[in-house]
Amino acid sequence: MDILRRVQEYRQTQDALKWEGTFAEYLELLKEKPYLAQSAHSRIYQMIQEEGIEEENGVRKYNFFSEQLFGLEEALEKLVEEYFHPSAKRLDVKKRILLLMGPVSGGKSTLVTLLKRGLEQYTLTDRGAVYAIKDCPMHESPLHLIPEHLRADFEKEYGIKIEGSLSPLNRLRLEEEYGGKIEDVKVERIFFSEDNRVGIGTFSPSDPKSQDIADLTGSIDFSTIATYGSESDPRAYRFDGELNKANRGLMEFQEMLKCDEKFLWHLLSLTQEGNFKAGRFALISADEMIVAHTNESEYRSFISNKKNEALHSRMIVMPIPYNLKLDQEERIYRKMIEESDIEDFHIAPHTLKVAAMFTILTRLKESKQSNISMLKKLYLYNDQDVEGFSDQDVNALKKEYADEGMTGIDPRYVINRISSTIIRKEMQAINALDVLRSLKDGLDDHPSITKEQKEDYLDFISIARKEYDELAKKEVQKAFVYSYEESAKTLMDNYLDNVEAFCNKAKLQDPLTGEEMHPDEKLMRSIEEQIGISENAKKAFREEILIRISAYARKGKKFDYQSHERLREAIQKKLFADLKDIVKITTSTKTPDEQQLKKMNEVVATLVEEYGYNTQSANDLLRYVGSLLNR
């Protein structure tokens, strides 16, 4: 890639987007594209909408968030539909600070970063274009130039409602530079950039004794007082606070509830009236969304203080809990690993899944229903089929606790333990057992885990270990069966011949002697029992198989080993049961003979080629499963 050429092309693209003209020319643009005058809240909502929406199990999934935030679909749907959407419609919700509340490493900061980066890109598009009075430090809307007495007529003609007043600086510039002629005022297209402090601001509290309110609202430039003669001259003021620079876009208020009270007072007027006080000037209008984030303990402490009632009433609190879906938690770990320098290290299949299993268990609350274990709840939340339960049961489970997911182990702890395992282990692969061991060892050093929680977490590690044992055995079972694919097909053909004879009340012919014989009930039951088909249910199951064969035949399709999932599972389990002794001998003997070594190598090759292991992790898996089978 010719990086310099690409940079040049990007610069040319950016230059092509620039626009400058008079206010009169800007009004002509508005006639064609009235959406150019949308509010900050509306712009954010449209940005999210235009990325697309998908619906899954009755829950909306917003593509805007889908590549970075996993398992938070319900929380994000509530955020978009209960805050962004009504705010975009200028409903009263717009006059509220958005406060994201949730546990550490739950995705709050990521969500805000997505909004900021998204706005930067969106203002480069036609639908997200933003225009401002040229050379205005607050990037003020050109529509503020229209006098109050003409705004109702303007709304009738253009269909655009104007909110806010012209700032002191632009009021002075209008008279001195343009002689009061608003049609001549220069307007330019601006592009949001946090780095350039355009449309996006970030405020982070520091030591209350040293932090100045000027960080929010700007300050007097004393070097210019001699030139302009007064501190109240707007030209002697630096409109460079975060509230000034975030105008037209978004301001992130980090750790807002840790702030000194004087910093929060300015937000009361800004949220309710859309303006704030700066220096010795009239109220300054600002159109921006304020988003803050905090944890639950700080929020509880904040609302318990009666002095904070006014500010609390101007907040919309949106809980952002931990993800509670197993598959999505695994995606979080994969994303974090891909962003690190250890992405080329081999992590055996199921390692991240088992780690995620432990993590999700720590976040769940025990169901009030006695027939639902923590493990069943984990699978139900992961949209997996659990016998005896429906979607309605899952919805009822989610309503049991309003605060489920607000506590538990955070993803950073798990990634730290995985990283520690990788660094310490000299070999080039780790597996689920390595990670579970590391998670267990790290509990002693976790600062916020109580003795009672530790006991529960150790139980969850045991549960995850047992689930891994089953996964490991199934993985080896599939690999062995794959290596004996012909045996599996032969066994299935034999079973189908017997089923057909049984259902048709016919006899089979011995291929060697030619004599007739009854269907082999012992063979059929040995296969059916592998998947829990009872004696009473065997006839219905066999008839179902025969119906499936007939349906395939009518469509001109061949019924084979892959055509019936439950039958395939039964064949695999039967074949593995017959091969179990071979597995035990092959994996546990220290000096395998040539035939055993050949079988071992075939299975290792299958695990590597078909299931994502490398040679080391495949051999580790075989040895471990061998030890399980020998117990």
Side-chain angles (χ1 to χ4, degrees):
M1 181 179 72
D2 183 351
I3 189 66
L4 293 179
R5 180 180 57 80
R6 294 285 294 274
V7 168
Q8 186 180 15
E9 288 174 356
Y10 178 76
R11 188 167 59 244
Q12 290 169 349
T13 303
Q14 295 290 92
D15 289 342
L17 292 174
K18 291 178 181 178
W19 183 92
E20 186 178 316
T22 63
F23 181 63
E25 291 169 328
Y26 170 68
L27 289 181
E28 291 301 314
L29 276 180
L30 281 188
K31 283 184 179 178
E32 297 175 31
K33 304 173 181 179
Y35 55 79
L36 296 177
Q38 63 188 328
S39 68
H41 290 78
S42 176
R43 189 175 297 108
I44 292 170
Y45 177 67
Q46 292 302 327
M47 170 184 73
I48 295 169
Q49 290 287 104
E50 287 175 25
E51 286 293 316
I53 305 170
E54 297 175 15
E55 194 160 313
E56 190 175 301
N57 297 325
V59 178
R60 288 184 172 187
K61 296 176 70 175
Y62 296 89
N63 295 337
F64 180 82
F65 303 107
S66 62
E67 293 303 313
Q68 295 291 325
L69 292 171
F70 309 123
L72 297 179
E73 288 81 12
E74 292 176 4
L76 292 172
E77 181 181 14
K78 185 178 180 183
L79 173 64
V80 173
E81 296 306 321
E82 294 186 18
Y83 183 79
F84 290 131
H85 192 179
S87 295
K89 298 294 184 183
R90 298 181 188 270
L91 294 172
D92 212 48
V93 173
K94 179 186 175 184
K95 300 176 180 179
R96 306 288 183 270
I97 298 167
L98 173 62
L99 180 64
L100 306 176
M101 180 188 67
V104 295
S105 192
K108 303 185 296 297
S109 297
T110 302
L111 195 160
V112 177
T113 301
L114 279 174
L115 292 174
K116 292 196 287 190
R117 297 294 86 79
L119 277 173
E120 289 177 340
Q121 293 302 311
Y122 192 54
T123 56
L124 296 173
T125 68
D126 178 68
R127 294 287 302 183
V130 183
Y131 292 80
I133 296 174
K134 183 174 170 60
D135 297 327
C136 171
M138 285 185 57
H139 322 110
E140 189 170 3
S141 169
L143 293 183
H144 287 180
L145 292 162
I146 295 178
E148 287 283 347
H149 67 279
L150 295 178
R151 291 186 177 184
D153 293 335
F154 178 84
E155 186 176 352
K156 286 179 184 177
E157 183 178 347
Y158 285 81
I160 298 170
K161 185 179 179 67
I162 303 173
E163 294 179 330
S165 303
L166 197 62
S167 68
L169 178 62
N170 284 323
R171 194 178 297 276
L172 182 68
R173 290 178 62 204
L174 176 61
E175 294 303 322
E176 294 202 352
E177 294 179 29
Y178 299 101
K181 296 180 179 179
I182 65 171
E183 64 273 21
D184 294 339
V185 174
K186 294 291 184 182
V187 176
E188 64 179 347
R189 183 175 178 180
I190 61 171
F191 306 98
F192 286 1
S193 167
E194 185 172 21
D195 292 338
N196 295 330
R197 302 189 73 212
V198 178
I200 297 173
T202 303
F203 182 80
S204 183
S206 59
D207 182 3
K209 294 178 182 178
S210 61
Q211 189 152 33
D212 191 349
I213 197 68
D215 294 343
L216 272 183
T217 61
S219 61
I220 296 169
D221 184 352
F222 290 101
S223 66
T224 62
I225 293 176
T227 305
Y228 301 115
S230 171
E231 292 182 12
S232 60
D233 189 309
R235 292 169 297 183
Y237 197 86
R238 291 195 300 258
F239 294 90
D240 60 355
E242 295 305 316
L243 293 180
N244 307 109
K245 294 302 181 181
N247 187 34
R248 314 295 301 284
L250 176 149
M251 194 192 85
E252 177 187 9
F253 214 121
Q254 295 178 349
E255 304 297 341
M256 188 181 81
L257 304 188
K258 291 179 180 175
C259 261
D260 188 82
E261 288 178 4
K262 66 180 180 181
F263 289 93
L264 301 181
W265 292 335
H266 284 274
L267 302 183
L268 296 176
S269 175
L270 179 59
T271 52
Q272 192 65 35
E273 307 299 335
N275 51 45
F276 64 92
K277 192 77 171 72
R280 299 176 182 181
F281 308 114
L283 291 169
I284 296 175
S285 297
D287 172 29
E288 57 196 82
M289 188 186 95
I290 298 177
V291 57
H293 38 90
T294 188
N295 59 51
E296 191 171 7
S297 61
E298 284 178 351
Y299 175 70
R300 298 298 171 202
S301 175
F302 173 78
I303 61 174
S304 66
N305 187 343
K306 292 291 184 182
K307 291 194 299 184
N308 296 326
E309 283 184 355
L311 188 60
H312 181 233
S313 68
R314 288 170 171 81
M315 289 179 179
I316 293 288
V317 182
M318 285 289 169
I320 306 294
Y322 281 132
N323 159 59
L324 296 177
K325 289 190 174 183
L326 180 64
D327 290 345
Q328 298 300 323
E329 189 71 12
E330 191 177 352
R331 286 185 69 191
I332 292 172
Y333 301 156
R334 290 198 185 282
K335 174 195 157 197
M336 294 171 89
I337 288 168
E338 286 167 4
E339 291 171 351
S340 72
D341 291 334
I342 59 172
E343 60 175 314
D344 294 332
F345 192 91
H346 181 74
I347 298 175
H350 307 302
T351 300
L352 300 182
K353 180 185 284 293
V354 172
M357 194 173 291
F358 159 72
T359 312
I360 300 296
L361 287 170
T362 69
R363 299 171 184 170
L364 296 177
K365 293 194 173 185
E366 200 164 332
S367 174
K368 297 172 184 177
Q369 302 176 47
S370 58
N371 63 332
I372 298 181
S373 66
M374 293 286 273
L375 198 58
K376 281 183 180 177
K377 191 175 188 179
L378 178 144
Y379 287 134
L380 285 168
Y381 275 16
N382 199 44
D383 300 325
Q384 292 177 233
D385 291 331
V386 176
E387 193 172 349
F389 296 95
S390 64
D391 291 342
Q392 286 75 14
D393 296 312
V394 178
N395 292 331
L397 272 177
K398 290 178 179 178
K399 292 175 182 176
E400 285 187 341
Y401 301 100
D403 61 343
E404 190 168 45
M406 298 298 279
T407 58
I409 292 290
D410 65 279
R412 289 194 192 117
Y413 170 77
V414 178
I415 286 298
N416 289 344
R417 299 313 302 171
I418 291 173
S419 302
S420 175
T421 307
I422 290 172
I423 298 302
R424 288 179 186 176
K425 198 165 182 183
E426 295 179 0
M427 293 170 284
Q428 290 301 302
I430 61 168
N431 56 43
L433 295 177
D434 296 322
V435 172
L436 286 177
R437 196 176 299 115
S438 182
L439 289 170
K440 181 181 178 182
D441 293 342
L443 293 178
D444 290 328
D445 301 323
H446 200 294
S448 60
I449 294 178
T450 64
K451 185 179 178 182
E452 291 75 17
Q453 283 177 319
K454 183 181 176 183
E455 290 176 3
D456 290 338
Y457 291 178
L458 289 174
D459 288 340
F460 296 148
I461 285 175
S462 296
I463 291 172
R465 166 74 179 272
K466 288 175 184 174
E467 287 300 291
Y468 175 66
D469 289 352
E470 292 305 310
L471 283 171
K473 284 190 279 189
K474 285 180 181 176
E475 200 85 310
V476 172
Q477 168 189 315
K478 288 191 295 182
F480 262 87
V481 171
Y482 187 89
S483 298
Y484 293 85
E485 191 75 15
E486 287 304 316
S487 302
K489 290 177 181 176
T490 301
L491 180 59
M492 181 154 149
D493 289 340
N494 196 359
Y495 173 77
L496 293 177
D497 288 342
N498 281 276
V499 163
E500 190 173 1
F502 170 85
C503 291
N504 294 329
K505 295 185 172 60
K507 290 185 177 180
L508 293 167
Q509 193 174 51
D510 189 301
L512 294 177
T513 64
E515 66 176 302
E516 290 188 333
M517 54 187 185
H518 292 286
D520 190 341
E521 185 66 22
K522 186 176 179 181
L523 170 71
M524 290 187 288
R525 291 302 294 142
S526 70
I527 292 171
E528 292 157 356
E529 285 170 351
Q530 300 295 329
I531 52 172
I533 303 295
S534 66
E535 185 71 27
N536 293 333
K538 69 180 184 183
K539 186 172 182 291
F541 180 75
R542 293 170 188 175
E543 288 172 346
E544 178 196 326
I545 296 294
L546 211 59
I547 291 169
R548 180 74 64 89
I549 293 172
S550 300
Y552 269 61
R554 283 198 307 274
K555 295 175 182 177
K557 295 163 65 179
K558 182 183 177 184
F559 186 91
D560 60 21
Y561 179 57
Q562 306 290 332
S563 301
H564 194 286
E565 191 174 332
R566 293 192 73 203
L567 179 57
R568 183 183 64 195
E569 182 186 352
I571 294 291
Q572 286 179 344
K573 286 186 173 181
K574 167 62 178 167
L575 189 58
F576 187 67
D578 294 342
L579 293 169
K580 193 174 286 187
D581 289 338
I582 298 173
V583 177
K584 286 162 69 174
I585 294 167
T586 306
T587 56
S588 60
T589 181
K590 292 182 180 178
T591 54
D593 60 31
E594 187 178 341
Q595 189 64 25
Q596 290 169 342
L597 201 58
K598 182 183 176 184
K599 289 174 182 174
M600 178 84 96
N601 289 337
E602 286 176 357
V603 175
V604 167
T606 299
L607 287 169
V608 171
E609 293 166 13
E610 300 294 327
Y611 299 111
Y613 291 82
N614 69 1
T615 305
Q616 179 187 318
S617 61
N619 279 299
D620 287 345
L621 178 71
L622 280 178
R623 280 192 293 273
Y624 180 62
V625 171
S627 71
L628 290 176
L629 295 175
N630 278 310
R631 288 177 188 174

